[in-house]
């Protein structure tokens, strides 16, 4: 799924927090059947990084974990059958030295200008090694009837 030989230059994507967050959303967004740039996606993440969605089930709150390669493998078929556009609508950022934490509020749509079908918050942990930013983890929860997004994490 993720090729060993990267052919494009993604260095701009990891040059700032703004760029890496934009690249994260851009790399998973696209029309139905349009292949995602999984090399670009993989380039954003540190070794052993994790993507961790949470959701409510009949048994209670649960989570899953994927590596970036595992996420790409899981999502490819779904993206082939469904358009998906995720966009950041608000951000809370905390930084200390080489680490940063971003609470990134997002919307999800089936087409770029389509109706919003989901919202939530991505908790994104980042590390700067002196040369570039790396995503360490993306941990998220979708908004639901019993769990609305707090006003502090919505656009003003």
């Amino acid at each position: 799924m993720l090729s060993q030989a990267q052919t494009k230059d993604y260095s701009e994507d990891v040059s700032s927090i703004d760029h890496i967050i934009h690249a994260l959303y851009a790399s998973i967004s696209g029309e139905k059947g349009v292949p995602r740039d999984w090399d670009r996606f993989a380039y954003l993440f540190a070794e052993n990084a994790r993507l961790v969605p949470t959701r409510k089930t009949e048994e209670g709150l649960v989570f899953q974990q994927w590596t970036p390669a595992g996420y790409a493998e899981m999502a490819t078929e779904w993206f082939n059958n469904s358009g998906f556009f995720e966009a950041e609508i608000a951000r809370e950022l905390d930084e200390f030295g080489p680490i940063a934490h971003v609470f990134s509020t997002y919307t999800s749509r089936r087409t770029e200008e389509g109706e919003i079908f989901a919202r939530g918050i991505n908790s994104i942990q980042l590390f700067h090694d002196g040369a570039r930013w790396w995503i360490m983890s993306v941990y998220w929860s979708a908004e639901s009837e019993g769990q609305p997004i707090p006003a502090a994490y919505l656009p003003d």
Side-chain angles (χ1 to χ4, degrees), residues 2 11 14-15 40 68 90 120 132 135 140:
L2 301 175
S11 58
V14 297
S15 64
R40 180 186 192 191
R132 59 160 287 180
I135 298 174
W140 71 92

Side-chain angles (χ1 to χ4, degrees), residues 67-131:
T67 62
Y71 178 86
E73 186 176 317
M74 177 278 307
T76 295
E77 184 178 344
W78 193 81
F79 289 150
N80 284 337
N81 297 316
S82 302
F84 182 76
F85 289 85
E86 194 165 82
E88 183 179 65
I89 60 167
R91 180 187 302 173
E92 290 292 324
L93 169 66
D94 289 310
E95 290 183 75
F96 177 71
I99 65 172
H101 174 254
V102 176
F103 247 32
S104 177
T105 306
Y106 65 84
T107 59
S108 299
R109 303 169 191 266
R110 302 271 183 235
T111 62
E112 195 164 8
E113 300 299 323
E115 185 177 323
I116 295 169
F117 73 87
R119 299 190 318 175
I121 295 179
N122 286 318
S123 173
I124 305 166
Q125 289 70 45
L126 301 163
F127 171 70
H128 195 279
D129 67 3

Side-chain angles (χ1 to χ4, degrees), residues 44-63:
L44 306 175
F45 290 87
E47 186 176 350
N48 299 316
R50 292 288 181 263
L51 292 102
V52 185
T54 64
R55 62 188 170 86
K56 189 174 184 176
T57 67
E58 291 178 3
E59 292 80 38
L61 293 172
V62 298
F63 67 92

